[in-house]
Protein backbone atom coordinates (compact mmCIF):
# COMPACT_ATOMS: atom_id res chain seq x y z
CA UNK A 1 0.00 0.00 0.00
CA UNK A 2 1.26 3.46 -0.80
CA UNK A 3 1.94 5.77 2.11
CA UNK A 4 -0.91 8.07 3.10
CA UNK A 5 -0.19 11.47 1.64
CA UNK A 6 -2.37 14.56 1.89
CA UNK A 7 -2.98 16.36 -1.36
CA UNK A 8 -1.17 19.68 -1.26
CA UNK A 9 -2.35 22.88 -2.76
CA UNK A 10 0.03 25.40 -4.26
CA UNK A 11 0.83 28.00 -1.63
CA UNK A 12 2.49 31.27 -2.49
CA UNK A 13 4.66 31.86 0.58
CA UNK A 14 6.43 34.89 -0.88
CA UNK A 15 3.23 36.88 -1.35
CA UNK A 16 2.16 36.07 2.23
CA UNK A 17 5.50 37.29 3.61
CA UNK A 18 5.49 40.46 1.53
CA UNK A 19 2.02 41.58 2.59
CA UNK A 20 1.83 44.90 4.39
CA UNK A 21 0.45 44.23 7.93
CA UNK A 22 -1.84 47.27 7.67
CA UNK A 23 -3.36 45.95 4.43
CA UNK A 24 -3.54 42.45 5.84
CA UNK A 25 -5.66 43.69 8.76
CA UNK A 26 -8.29 45.19 6.48
CA UNK A 27 -8.10 42.37 3.92
CA UNK A 28 -8.88 39.88 6.69
CA UNK A 29 -12.17 41.61 7.36
CA UNK A 30 -13.20 41.36 3.72
CA UNK A 31 -12.01 37.77 3.18
CA UNK A 32 -11.84 35.94 6.54
CA UNK A 33 -12.25 32.47 5.02
CA UNK A 34 -9.17 32.85 2.83
CA UNK A 35 -7.01 34.00 5.77
CA UNK A 36 -8.29 31.30 8.12
CA UNK A 37 -8.20 28.38 5.67
CA UNK A 38 -4.65 27.18 6.52
CA UNK A 39 -5.61 26.76 10.19
CA UNK A 40 -8.66 24.60 9.43
CA UNK A 41 -8.44 20.82 9.45
CA UNK A 42 -4.93 20.53 10.83
CA UNK A 43 -4.03 16.88 10.54
CA UNK A 44 -1.52 14.56 12.18
CA UNK A 45 -0.86 11.18 10.55
CA UNK A 46 0.90 8.43 12.47
CA UNK A 47 1.93 5.06 11.04
CA UNK A 48 1.57 1.99 13.25
CA UNK A 49 2.10 -1.71 12.62
CA UNK A 50 -1.64 -2.15 11.96
CA UNK A 51 -2.21 0.91 9.81
CA UNK A 52 -2.43 4.68 9.96
CA UNK A 53 -3.98 6.89 12.63
CA UNK A 54 -5.19 10.33 11.58
CA UNK A 55 -6.11 13.09 14.02
CA UNK A 56 -7.93 16.01 12.42
CA UNK A 57 -8.78 19.16 14.38
CA UNK A 58 -12.27 20.46 13.60
CA UNK A 59 -13.01 23.03 16.32
CA UNK A 60 -16.50 24.47 16.24
CA UNK A 61 -17.93 21.65 14.14
CA UNK A 62 -20.51 19.11 15.30
CA UNK A 63 -20.51 15.41 14.42
CA UNK A 64 -23.40 15.95 11.98
CA UNK A 65 -21.36 18.65 10.16
CA UNK A 66 -18.58 16.18 9.23
CA UNK A 67 -18.60 13.61 6.41
CA UNK A 68 -16.01 11.08 5.26
CA UNK A 69 -16.11 9.44 1.84
CA UNK A 70 -13.90 6.81 0.22
CA UNK A 71 -13.73 6.80 -3.57
CA UNK A 72 -11.11 5.42 -5.96
CA UNK A 73 -8.48 5.13 -3.22
CA UNK A 74 -8.99 8.67 -1.90
CA UNK A 75 -10.42 9.43 1.53
CA UNK A 76 -12.17 12.81 1.54
CA UNK A 77 -13.12 14.57 4.76
CA UNK A 78 -15.60 17.44 4.49
CA UNK A 79 -16.87 19.71 7.25
CA UNK A 80 -19.58 22.30 6.73
CA UNK A 81 -21.17 24.75 9.14
CA UNK A 82 -23.70 27.54 8.81
CA UNK A 83 -23.55 30.77 10.77
CA UNK A 84 -26.41 31.45 13.09
CA UNK A 85 -28.69 34.33 12.18
CA UNK A 86 -27.31 37.59 13.44
CA UNK A 87 -29.40 39.65 15.78
CA UNK A 88 -29.41 43.43 15.59
CA UNK A 89 -27.42 44.94 18.43
CA UNK A 90 -28.13 48.60 19.17
CA UNK A 91 -24.98 48.86 21.26
CA UNK A 92 -22.52 48.71 18.38
CA UNK A 93 -21.38 47.14 15.15
CA UNK A 94 -18.81 44.47 14.48
CA UNK A 95 -15.38 45.73 13.52
CA UNK A 96 -14.14 42.21 12.80
CA UNK A 97 -15.70 38.72 12.81
CA UNK A 98 -13.46 35.66 12.97
CA UNK A 99 -16.05 32.93 13.32
CA UNK A 100 -15.90 30.54 10.41
CA UNK A 101 -18.98 29.79 8.38
CA UNK A 102 -18.68 27.66 5.31
CA UNK A 103 -17.15 24.44 4.05
CA UNK A 104 -13.67 22.95 4.19
CA UNK A 105 -12.29 19.64 2.99
CA UNK A 106 -9.12 17.59 2.70
CA UNK A 107 -8.34 14.55 0.61
CA UNK A 108 -5.83 11.79 1.37
CA UNK A 109 -4.68 8.94 -0.85
CA UNK A 110 -5.08 5.73 1.17
CA UNK A 111 -4.69 3.15 -1.60
CA UNK A 112 -7.01 1.59 -4.12
CA UNK A 113 -7.16 -1.70 -2.19
CA UNK A 114 -8.69 -0.05 0.92
CA UNK A 115 -12.40 -0.67 1.46
CA UNK A 116 -15.00 1.00 3.70
CA UNK A 117 -14.64 -1.74 6.32
CA UNK A 118 -10.91 -0.96 6.66
CA UNK A 119 -11.64 2.54 7.99
CA UNK A 120 -12.97 3.44 11.46
CA UNK A 121 -13.79 7.02 12.46
CA UNK A 122 -14.72 8.68 15.75
CA UNK A 123 -15.60 12.34 16.37
CA UNK A 124 -15.28 13.73 19.89
CA UNK A 125 -14.66 17.22 21.33
CA UNK A 126 -13.94 18.80 17.93
CA UNK A 127 -11.39 16.14 16.97
CA UNK A 128 -11.93 13.52 14.26
CA UNK A 129 -9.88 10.36 14.71
CA UNK A 130 -9.61 7.98 11.78
CA UNK A 131 -7.91 4.59 11.73
CA UNK A 132 -7.05 3.10 8.35
CA UNK A 133 -5.95 -0.55 8.40
CA UNK A 134 -3.05 -1.62 6.23
CA UNK A 135 -3.83 -4.36 3.78
CA UNK A 136 -1.62 -7.35 4.43
CA UNK A 137 0.01 -8.55 1.27
CA UNK A 138 -0.85 -12.15 0.68
CA UNK A 139 2.24 -14.28 0.16
CA UNK A 140 2.35 -15.66 -3.33
CA UNK A 141 1.93 -19.38 -3.50
CA UNK A 142 4.65 -21.06 -5.40
CA UNK A 143 3.18 -22.74 -8.41
CA UNK A 144 4.60 -26.08 -9.33
CA UNK A 145 4.95 -26.35 -13.05
CA UNK A 146 5.34 -29.71 -14.66
CA UNK A 147 7.23 -30.06 -17.86
CA UNK A 148 6.04 -32.69 -20.26
CA UNK A 149 8.70 -35.16 -21.29
CA UNK A 150 8.32 -36.57 -24.73
CA UNK A 151 9.40 -40.12 -25.30
Amino acid sequence: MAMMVPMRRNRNLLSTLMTDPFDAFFDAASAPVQKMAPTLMRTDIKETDEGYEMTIDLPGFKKDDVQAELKDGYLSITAQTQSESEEKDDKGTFVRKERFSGKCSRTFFVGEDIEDDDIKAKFEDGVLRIAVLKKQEQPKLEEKKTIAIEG
Side-chain angles (χ1 to χ4, degrees), residues 23-33 35 95-97:
D23 291 337
F25 175 79
F26 289 104
D27 287 344
S30 64
V33 174
K35 297 293 180 183
V95 174
R96 180 179 177 124
K97 289 187 80 170

Side-chain angles (χ1 to χ4, degrees), residues 2-16:
M3 189 168 99
M4 286 184 52
V5 180
M7 294 180 66
R8 296 185 186 266
R9 297 195 175 18
N10 188 12
R11 294 183 184 167
N12 191 348
L13 181 61
L14 185 59
S15 67
T16 304

Side-chain angles (χ1 to χ4, degrees), residues 53-108:
E53 296 175 359
M54 300 172 60
T55 305
I56 303 172
D57 291 339
L58 293 168
F61 290 95
K62 299 175 188 163
K63 180 183 173 235
D64 295 336
D65 296 338
V66 181
Q67 292 182 344
E69 179 184 26
L70 179 64
K71 183 176 181 183
D72 298 328
Y74 289 91
L75 175 64
S76 297
I77 311 299
T78 305
Q80 184 172 358
T81 184
Q82 301 294 327
S83 63
E84 298 175 10
S85 60
E86 295 182 19
E87 297 178 11
K88 286 278 187 175
D89 186 2
D90 295 333
K91 296 180 184 178
T93 58
F94 285 104
V95 174
R96 180 179 177 124
K97 289 187 80 170
E98 293 184 343
R99 295 178 190 250
F100 176 77
S101 174
K103 182 177 181 179
C104 57
S105 65
R106 291 207 54 191
T107 302
F108 302 90

Side-chain angles (χ1 to χ4, degrees), residues 1-4 47-53 70 73 109-120 131-139:
M1 179 176 121
M3 189 168 99
M4 286 184 52
E47 183 176 7
T48 65
D49 291 337
E50 296 82 29
Y52 296 93
E53 296 175 359
L70 179 64
F109 181 75
V110 294
E112 293 177 358
D113 55 343
I114 297 295
E115 299 172 8
D116 295 349
D117 296 340
D118 299 327
I119 300 173
K120 304 293 182 213
V132 180
L133 293 177
K134 287 182 183 177
K135 286 285 189 175
Q136 300 298 326
E137 290 186 27
Q138 299 296 327

